[in-house]
Amino acid sequence: MSKVVDKFLTYVKIDTQSDEESTTFPSTEKQKDLARLLVKELTEMGAADVKMDEKYGYVYATIPSTLKDKEKKVPVIGFIAHMDTSPAVSGKDVKPRIVENYDGRDILLNQEKGIILPVKENPELQDYVGKSLIVTDGTTLLGADDKAGVAEIMTMAETLLKSPEIEHGTIRIAFTPDEEVGSGVDYFDVPGFGADFAYTVDGGALGELEYENFNAASARLHVHGYSVHPGSAKNKMLNAILLAQEFQNLLPVHENPASTEGYEGFYHLEKFSGVVESAVADYIIRDHSREKFEQKKAYFKDAAALMNLKYGREVLTVEMTDSYYNMKEKIYPENAHLIDTAVKAMEMAEVTPVISPIRGGTDGARLSFMGLPCPNLCTGGMNYHGRFEYVCIESMEKCVEIILNIISLYAGC
């Protein structure tokens, strides 16, 4: 079994699921269980400056430079992955299984429960015929998002620390909590991290390279109704549930996740609760274009104002907060070398780069606006946030090779 697989299988068995309803940071203490294990492993393999932030759960470490020419100036590179798994599906008692020499057919995940990973709904499985896949038992997610990234960075670290003859500059690594609930870098120590730039290792299929993501905002719509007895409600009742429905109907019908792709943005109603007297609707607003993003936010507020005007009272109030912005603003043109180098590193590993926009966000997006330019590299995982998640072993091994190539290219060795 390869190093990266051995590490990955260990990490996914540790429950690190984050909690979007929590008011603490990290949102769950159990994320620190993996953090402590990583600290132990990094210390044992000889990394320097190994540190766990006991309050917030971050793990930091250094792989010291091995350059023979001490006068040579090379950048300090960072590599970052997150330890938590999505709240969408349980990450407890994960039972990974290796499917060797995959034959291209449906994969039986759980015979007792009759759970199957079907090719019909996952045609990309055909790309992995003859390779080895790690799958779930169909009752939990796998955790490749982002424990594949964690395992790949840790394998890179061990490779370099055990092979001092490989010349490279100073490497900084970090592992973060709570990425899945949008607060992963709230307390990240950018100055202390000390990297000139970094890569998050948190993408999907082999070859993915991402430096564009959504501009993102969250919006909470408070709906104020008026409840009276249905028998005497004429011209009096204002049903908050119906008011919320009326507001939703004011939003562009095709600007929703089910009708958009690529660079197209959307409004997404994530959560709703209410009775006649009051209701709350939680939305997310997304667009790659900063201009269109601002227009979407303005339209949302204008729709609420229009309804208030119609009813002659404040039936709707809006709370809106920006979440993150498109990191492309911080990558191009000033830091385009990050993408050029990653492309070359992939080609050296005989991997075809696939540059595409992220229809979401990463820790790297926020870090880029905190002064640490940080595009996103692939991990080899697929079907994130669900029980049909899987990862290709050969892809994980190639991801480690790509990271090592990036380090070599920046060292000029």
Side-chain angles (χ1 to χ4, degrees):
M1 189 182 298
S2 66
K3 290 180 184 178
V4 69
V5 174
D6 185 47
K7 293 181 185 299
F8 177 73
L9 294 177
T10 298
Y11 302 156
V12 298
K13 293 175 184 176
I14 301 171
D15 181 11
T16 59
Q17 189 174 36
S18 48
D19 180 3
E20 55 195 345
E21 300 298 327
S22 173
T23 58
T24 65
F25 190 99
S27 61
T28 56
E29 280 294 307
K30 58 189 177 183
Q31 295 177 63
K32 293 181 181 179
D33 295 339
L34 177 55
R36 294 187 184 97
L37 173 61
L38 295 173
V39 166
K40 178 175 181 292
E41 290 184 354
L42 286 163
T43 301
E44 290 174 349
M45 67 176 68
D49 309 317
V50 181
K51 174 188 174 183
M52 175 182 167
D53 184 323
E54 289 292 340
K55 182 176 182 180
Y56 297 124
Y58 295 100
V59 174
Y60 304 101
T62 300
I63 305 171
S65 171
T66 58
L67 292 173
K68 295 175 183 177
D69 182 356
K70 304 302 181 184
E71 301 301 317
K72 188 174 184 179
K73 300 294 184 183
V74 301
V76 176
I77 314 170
F79 292 94
I80 301 167
H82 65 89
M83 298 175 289
D84 65 316
T85 60
S86 170
V89 176
S90 174
K92 184 179 180 181
D93 297 326
V94 174
K95 298 178 178 63
R97 177 170 64 89
I98 297 176
V99 178
E100 296 182 342
N101 192 26
Y102 172 58
D103 60 10
R105 297 185 293 181
D106 291 353
I107 301 174
L108 179 62
L109 300 179
N110 192 311
Q111 185 168 1
E112 180 183 352
K113 298 181 182 295
I115 302 173
I116 295 171
L117 174 58
V119 174
K120 184 177 179 180
E121 296 175 14
N122 300 272
E124 69 282 350
L125 278 167
Q126 296 302 310
D127 297 334
Y128 299 102
V129 173
K131 301 183 184 299
S132 295
L133 306 178
I134 303 177
V135 300
T136 73
D137 71 346
T139 63
T140 68
L141 49 66
L142 178 61
D145 180 13
D146 185 27
K147 289 171 184 173
V150 174
E152 288 154 11
I153 292 173
M154 289 292 285
T155 302
M156 171 273 290
E158 185 173 351
T159 300
L160 294 181
L161 288 165
K162 290 188 174 181
S163 305
E165 72 278 4
I166 300 175
E167 287 194 75
H168 59 82
T170 300
I171 310 299
R172 288 285 285 161
I173 61 178
F175 301 111
T176 65
D178 278 359
E179 189 271 353
E180 296 291 0
V181 294
S183 54
V185 295
D186 280 4
Y187 302 98
F188 190 93
D189 184 6
V190 172
F193 191 53
D196 294 303
F197 48 80
Y199 292 90
T200 49
V201 186
D202 188 23
L206 182 65
E208 284 188 2
L209 173 58
E210 300 157 326
Y211 65 89
E212 297 180 78
N213 60 278
F214 276 138
N215 296 288
S218 60
R220 172 162 287 183
L221 186 74
H222 294 275
V223 189
H224 314 290
Y226 182 72
S227 180
V228 295
H229 191 285
S232 55
K234 187 172 181 178
N235 298 325
K236 296 179 183 178
M237 178 185 287
L238 286 174
N239 188 325
I241 300 170
L242 297 181
L243 289 171
Q245 182 181 33
E246 182 178 350
F247 174 85
Q248 172 64 32
N249 288 338
L250 290 176
L251 300 180
V253 65
H254 294 300
E255 293 186 22
N256 67 76
S259 301
T260 54
E261 62 183 354
Y263 288 95
E264 298 169 332
F266 57 74
Y267 304 89
H268 175 44
L269 176 58
E270 279 195 311
K271 191 176 182 182
F272 177 84
S273 62
V275 293
V276 171
E277 190 167 37
S278 64
V280 175
D282 289 328
Y283 286 83
I284 60 173
I285 302 170
R286 301 287 190 266
D287 208 292
H288 280 88
S289 162
R290 187 66 170 263
E291 181 180 2
K292 291 181 179 178
F293 174 61
E294 296 299 336
Q295 290 172 353
K296 279 183 168 58
K297 291 192 298 178
Y299 185 95
F300 192 96
K301 293 176 180 178
D302 288 347
L306 178 64
M307 286 188 57
N308 289 340
L309 183 63
K310 173 184 175 180
Y311 287 98
R313 56 182 289 183
E314 192 175 68
V315 294
L316 301 177
T317 55
V318 175
E319 295 177 26
M320 187 177 292
T321 306
D322 286 358
S323 304
Y324 51 82
Y325 302 110
N326 190 343
M327 74 173 104
K328 183 180 180 181
E329 294 181 31
K330 300 299 182 180
I331 303 297
Y332 270 91
E334 185 178 355
N335 293 292
H337 64 88
L338 288 164
I339 308 307
D340 297 338
T341 303
V343 166
K344 188 171 182 179
M346 289 182 180
E347 291 172 345
M348 290 168 61
E350 299 182 334
V351 171
T352 301
V354 180
I355 300 177
S356 59
I358 309 171
R359 288 183 61 77
T362 69
D363 279 347
R366 292 184 60 199
L367 287 169
S368 293
F369 283 87
M370 292 166 65
L372 185 67
C374 196
N376 193 38
L377 298 172
C378 52
T379 66
M382 299 291 289
N383 286 354
Y384 287 165
H385 297 192
R387 56 200 178 103
F388 298 117
E389 185 182 5
Y390 65 93
V391 66
C392 174
I393 289 176
E394 288 84 353
S395 294
M396 292 178 69
E397 292 168 345
K398 280 290 185 182
C399 289
V400 175
E401 186 178 347
I402 290 166
I403 295 171
L404 290 168
N405 287 343
I406 289 173
I407 292 167
S408 176
L409 286 167
Y410 275 113
C413 301

